[in-house]
Amino acid sequence: MGHAGGMRGHASAQSGDVGGMGGHLGAPHVGWRSWVTTVDHKRIGILYGVSAFVFLLVGGIEALLIRLQLAGPGQAVVSAQGFNALFTMHGTTMVFLAVMPANAAFFNYIVPLMIGARDVAFPRLNALSYWIFFFGALFLNASFLVGAPPDAGWFGYANLTSKQFSPGMNVDFWLLSLLVLGVSSMIAAVNFIVTILGMRAPGMTLMRMPVFVWMTLVVQFLIVLAFPPVTVGLIFLMFDRFFGTHFYDVAAGGDLHLWQHLFWIFGHPEVYILILPAFGIVSEVLPTFARKPLFGAPVVIYSGVLIGFFGFGVWSHHMFAAGMGPVADAAFSIATMLIAIPTGIKIFNWLATLWGGALRMTTAMHFAIGLVGLFTIGGLSGIMHASPPVDLQQTDTYFVVAHFHYVLIGGSLFGIFAGVYYWWPKMTGRFLDERLGKLGFWLLFVAFNAAFFPQHYLGAIGMPRRIYTYAAGTGWAFWNLVSTVGAFGIAVGVLVFAVNAWRSLRAGAPAPADPWDGRTLEWRTSSPPPVHDFDEIPAVSGRDTFWREKYGPRRGAPPAPAHDHVHLPAPSHWPVVIGLGIALLAVGALTHLAVVALGALVAVVGVFRFALEHHRTPAHAQQIGSLGVDHRKVAMWVFLGSECFLFGTLIATYLAYRGRSVVGPYPHEILNIPVTTLSTFDLLMSSLLMVLALAAVQRGDQRQARLWLFGTALFGLIFLGFQAFEFTTFVHEGLTLQQNLFGSTFFVLTGFHGGHVTVGVIWLLSLWVLALRGRLAPVDAIKVEVAGLYWHFVDVVWIAIFTLLYLIP
């Protein structure tokens, strides 16, 4: 299977026992309980991968039903309503339940190995993100069991999603599941940002990181910054549907474009969240099988960062048909053309890597080269949509369907398959069959083009998206039939992969540590890796460090591994409990208030037990990474950056809707500025007490720590009391959530801030109880410091809200 390099004997021996948890770390974990409670990044990666494949099959079945319905004119495979549900669930499933978790499988399994780390920064948070995803995915698909699958399209345009036009639970399932899945993605993103920035092996500077790690890092920042706007959009939709607010109510002064902006500010970065990991995989696979370094690796890295940056400036090219006006159209048209430049640069770098290389045409190489070709086609059709007149012609036709399938299947899915065939030996210790793999590739490649290339033509001759039937005289029948045959060919290709995987797991040829003569650190350890990843943390001397170790100037016998002390976190069942509690909250929102209360109780108990599980474990006391800063502090800064976008979106909505209420009362009639000034002063003074509390904990003064922690929480409670008094007064004056647009925006904005204050008060009181029990020593000061960062942020946000809502007329 190819030359394994001089390190194979040493690397494959890395599975011994290392001290730390008292016992043999290499010993296998057995039984289903070990999978449910695992916090090992490799096992969580496998859980993500298996889940993604299952939902790929679910989304694929939905796609086959769509194609059967459209195989000929006048088909009656499903009803019109059933067709609406199928295309909504197919899009939602493929984006959120198949491609994103498939990428997460690689993030979890491969990234810590690539950066020479023994685990991720927050192993239990990692497990929590998986279980929240798992229960959110089950909740979404449970909609089929109660006969109410989402049916308003996967990007849920207002006002199709309003109670008036979607009165059942269908849209409720969709919006609640997306909120749950968003929580999972945010937790994972914070975890991986801290892991990549803070846990790299000695010598691994940012520019020495593998390209896949770089693309992972860019994706995590995209998630942290792009998910808050769509979260706010979904919260507005939830309030409109559950509580009668008016965010998307035109009659009350609302604007349907608000949803489109909030969705696509997330939706276009989401395209890069899906495709950049595939770009990273290709940037690892091509150099390995071309047996030469990636051409212009720094340029590939910079172009990936630029794609992430520009991705936030092109969202409204999805809205050229919405009537934004010539200035906005021109701006987003230019931005869309610009983003093609860094994307095109990658294509040329990959081609230059292949040029003159000693190519080994493995299955992984086939899929990687397939991505380069297919994504180029998808990119070229995307460039067409940068022109508003062309886009107006192609919008809502099958031309657009062809375009994004070339990007998301020809790009993301082919990249994922390249990664599976490349890293499967590392993950399982066994090879996939190359002949079956190449058969599967050619089936997928030919069938994919048969399924989606004709849709360009169908769109060009006028076939709209989302029609469930068509007349015989339209001229669309032949190419729709070809497209359907291609879709079933894709299904056969995926089936061949499933058979290959099954055969490999049962009786595949054993794989050595370095089967492909790899370039990066994951090939330095055994296949599969031991539970602690590396016996010794490797030192990095440059890009492609393992390749240098084998063939460069440092070639020779490496030093004997030092069995240093390894701490691995214990398994935990609290992530599953919290995930279950969140799922119960969502179920309760559709059934009964008692179920909401039960879900809240389970989630809150789980969070407290989760937070205090290792409060007194010495190895958890210090988490200083390569940045020289505690991981928890970095994580809080990243989270607060995301919160800036959340509150920024809420405030921007208030400003956009200010003065547009159709009926009174109006803000100047009822806002009590003197009382709110007093409550603002109270909240700002609480920040001073927070500083005193931290100083007391740092110097070990238990009495002062208890006093200032309780004082900060008390000031927070007083602020909440002022807010409750103000809300009660407003309701008495006739201003409610449902009264007008000002009421909707005011109560949701200030109420969400009040919710953040409430979380902070509970957090502070928990620390106060720990101090009362003598369990808050100077070594725990970082926990108070992180709580303080959150509290100061909440205070700063209130200054902005108070200024904009109360002081500016």
Side-chain angles (χ1 to χ4, degrees):
M1 297 302 296
H3 174 61
M7 289 294 295
R8 183 182 291 175
H10 160 66
S12 58
Q14 289 205 28
S15 56
D17 63 309
V18 181
M21 291 300 291
H24 294 266
L25 292 180
H29 303 287
V30 293
W32 65 268
R33 279 192 184 86
S34 69
W35 284 93
V36 171
T37 60
T38 188
V39 295
D40 179 359
H41 71 93
K42 298 178 291 297
R43 289 188 143 209
I44 291 167
I46 291 168
L47 288 171
Y48 266 117
V50 172
S51 302
F53 187 70
V54 169
F55 288 114
L56 177 71
L57 297 180
V58 172
I61 290 167
E62 291 159 353
L64 293 179
L65 288 171
I66 290 169
R67 288 312 321 163
L68 276 175
Q69 172 65 20
L70 295 173
Q75 298 278 87
V77 177
V78 294
S79 66
Q81 193 62 25
F83 191 85
N84 287 348
L86 282 172
F87 70 65
T88 302
M89 284 298 290
H90 168 69
T92 308
T93 299
M94 287 304 199
V95 170
F96 297 104
L97 309 187
V99 176
M100 282 188 76
N103 289 334
F106 292 124
F107 300 158
N108 276 277
Y109 204 107
I110 299 300
V111 165
L113 295 170
M114 278 189 152
I115 63 173
R118 288 211 166 94
D119 211 324
V120 292
F122 305 107
R124 294 178 309 130
L125 271 183
N126 203 28
L128 177 61
S129 75
Y130 170 75
W131 288 109
I132 292 175
F133 155 76
F134 178 75
F135 285 115
L138 289 185
F139 175 76
L140 176 62
N141 283 277
S143 60
F144 282 114
L145 301 180
V146 297
D151 56 1
W154 81 269
F155 35 82
Y157 272 6
N159 54 2
L160 292 177
T161 51
S162 67
K163 272 287 187 187
Q164 180 184 354
F165 299 107
S166 295
M169 293 192 295
N170 311 61
V171 172
D172 298 332
F173 269 108
W174 182 78
L175 74 90
L176 291 169
S177 64
L178 288 194
L179 285 170
V180 172
L181 294 168
V183 171
S184 163
S185 297
M186 283 294 305
I187 291 171
V190 171
N191 188 16
F192 279 104
I193 288 171
V194 179
T195 299
I196 294 169
L197 293 181
M199 296 189 70
R200 303 188 304 280
M204 183 173 280
T205 60
L206 286 174
M207 291 312 293
R208 289 177 178 176
M209 290 196 312
V211 175
F212 179 70
V213 179
W214 259 108
M215 294 305 103
T216 302
L217 183 63
V218 173
V219 164
Q220 307 316 315
F221 274 107
L222 287 175
I223 289 172
V224 163
L225 300 178
F227 267 74
V230 77
T231 301
V232 170
L234 289 164
I235 288 167
F236 290 162
L237 179 58
M238 179 178 71
F239 271 84
D240 274 11
R241 290 184 62 85
F242 285 73
F243 306 112
T245 53
H246 303 289
F247 291 103
Y248 306 121
D249 182 358
V250 177
D255 189 347
L256 299 182
H257 286 164
L258 173 66
W259 168 265
Q260 292 193 35
H261 282 295
L262 294 181
F263 184 85
W264 289 117
I265 287 171
F266 150 80
H268 205 84
E270 173 68 12
V271 172
Y272 301 111
I273 289 167
L274 298 172
I275 193 65
L276 283 176
F279 287 176
I281 291 167
V282 169
S283 299
E284 303 300 333
V285 170
L286 294 182
T288 298
F289 295 119
R291 291 185 59 79
K292 56 182 283 198
L294 179 66
F295 181 86
V299 177
V300 177
I301 291 168
Y302 292 141
S303 68
V305 175
L306 277 173
I307 287 170
F309 181 76
F310 285 155
F312 281 99
V314 298
W315 79 86
S316 282
H317 69 212
H318 296 272
M319 298 170 57
F320 283 149
M324 295 184 298
V327 174
D329 282 0
F332 286 102
S333 176
I334 292 167
T336 306
M337 292 177 190
L338 280 175
I339 202 168
I341 296 171
T343 311
I345 285 169
K346 287 180 179 292
I347 304 290
F348 287 109
N349 280 84
W350 293 331
L351 293 176
T353 303
L354 293 171
W355 188 266
L359 305 185
R360 282 185 293 163
M361 296 306 294
T362 60
T363 306
M365 186 70 149
H366 277 69
F367 276 106
I369 295 173
L371 177 146
V372 176
L374 296 176
F375 184 82
T376 301
I377 295 172
L380 289 172
S381 61
I383 288 294
M384 297 179 194
H385 299 137
S387 167
V390 175
D391 183 82
L392 282 170
Q393 178 71 20
Q394 295 169 352
T395 280
D396 277 337
T397 72
Y398 260 79
F399 194 97
V400 177
V401 177
H403 158 67
F404 68 70
H405 281 87
Y406 265 86
V407 171
L408 293 183
I409 298 183
S412 296
L413 201 61
F414 271 66
I416 287 164
F417 273 120
V420 168
Y421 277 93
Y422 183 56
W423 283 308
W424 184 275
K426 177 57 58 183
M427 294 177 172
T428 65
R430 296 182 181 275
F431 286 109
L432 287 161
D433 185 276
E434 282 288 305
R435 287 177 304 174
L436 266 181
K438 288 171 185 171
L439 172 66
F441 165 78
W442 285 110
L443 276 169
L444 282 169
F445 186 81
V446 173
F448 168 78
N449 283 290
F452 295 106
F453 201 83
Q455 292 181 5
H456 291 104
Y457 176 69
L458 285 168
I461 62 171
M463 182 173 172
R465 296 169 69 173
R466 300 183 171 186
I467 54 166
Y468 84 105
T469 189
Y470 53 91
T474 53
W476 303 338
F478 174 74
W479 290 115
N480 268 299
L481 180 61
V482 172
S483 190
T484 299
V485 172
F488 277 86
I490 294 172
V492 174
V494 173
L495 181 63
V496 168
F497 165 74
V499 170
N500 199 354
W502 176 254
R503 286 180 52 180
S504 170
L505 292 173
R506 285 179 64 89
D514 183 19
W516 309 126
D517 196 12
R519 316 180 71 85
T520 42
L521 289 178
E522 75 271 28
W523 305 111
R524 200 179 186 277
T525 186
S526 60
S527 297
V531 68
H532 54 282
D533 291 355
F534 299 95
D535 285 352
E536 61 170 356
I537 299 298
V540 175
S541 58
R543 171 171 294 286
D544 293 337
T545 185
F546 186 40
W547 183 269
R548 290 165 178 260
E549 205 170 296
K550 291 184 290 188
Y551 301 114
R554 297 180 56 212
R555 189 178 181 185
H563 287 261
D564 57 324
H565 182 84
V566 178
H567 168 77
L568 290 174
S572 174
H573 56 270
W574 294 114
V576 186
V577 172
I578 297 169
L580 183 61
I582 291 173
L584 282 173
L585 277 168
V587 171
L590 299 183
T591 53
H592 198 279
L593 203 57
V595 183
V596 173
L598 176 63
L601 179 65
V602 171
V604 168
V605 169
V607 166
F608 271 98
R609 298 303 298 269
F610 179 89
L612 298 173
E613 192 171 15
H614 295 298
H615 178 64
R616 272 290 166 254
T617 307
H620 284 73
Q622 292 294 329
Q623 295 187 18
I624 305 298
S626 55
L627 291 173
V629 182
D630 192 285
H631 293 328
R632 289 163 286 190
K633 196 190 295 187
V634 180
M636 180 50 71
W637 277 113
V638 173
F639 172 70
L640 295 182
S642 179
E643 287 283 278
C644 288
F645 272 62
L646 184 91
F647 277 106
T649 307
L650 286 166
I651 290 169
T653 302
Y654 168 80
L655 293 175
Y657 276 175
R658 187 164 59 178
R660 291 179 59 168
S661 294
V662 174
V663 296
Y666 298 105
H668 63 270
E669 298 170 1
I670 55 172
L671 290 180
N672 192 331
I673 294 175
V675 170
T676 313
T677 303
L678 194 60
S679 71
T680 302
F681 179 75
D682 161 79
L683 192 63
L684 295 182
M685 287 302 99
S686 71
S687 267
L688 174 61
L689 301 191
M690 189 73 232
V691 172
L692 296 173
L694 174 60
V697 173
Q698 286 172 333
R699 66 175 181 266
D701 189 334
Q702 292 282 341
R703 190 180 69 83
Q704 291 281 315
R706 291 193 294 269
L707 173 65
W708 298 125
L709 280 171
F710 183 76
T712 310
L714 179 63
F715 274 38
L717 284 169
I718 292 169
F719 174 82
L720 290 173
F722 272 116
Q723 193 168 56
F725 168 75
E726 184 180 41
F727 282 10
T728 308
T729 306
F730 286 175
V731 171
H732 180 71
E733 294 280 343
L735 181 68
T736 62
L737 262 175
Q738 301 84 10
Q739 175 63 28
N740 59 21
L741 207 52
F742 171 70
S744 297
T745 52
F746 176 86
F747 279 109
V748 170
L749 173 55
T750 55
F752 259 84
H753 179 266
H756 279 69
V757 175
T758 304
V759 169
V761 167
I762 294 169
W763 194 347
L764 291 166
L765 289 175
S766 304
L767 291 169
W768 175 66
V769 170
L770 287 176
L772 281 177
R773 298 170 67 181
R775 296 178 62 192
L776 205 61
V779 73
D780 301 309
I782 183 64
K783 298 175 182 177
V784 181
E785 187 175 357
V786 169
L789 285 173
Y790 174 86
W791 191 256
H792 298 319
F793 170 79
V794 167
D795 291 0
V796 170
V797 168
W798 180 252
I799 294 173
I801 293 173
F802 176 65
T803 304
L804 290 170
L805 267 66
Y806 291 84
L807 301 185
I808 297 177

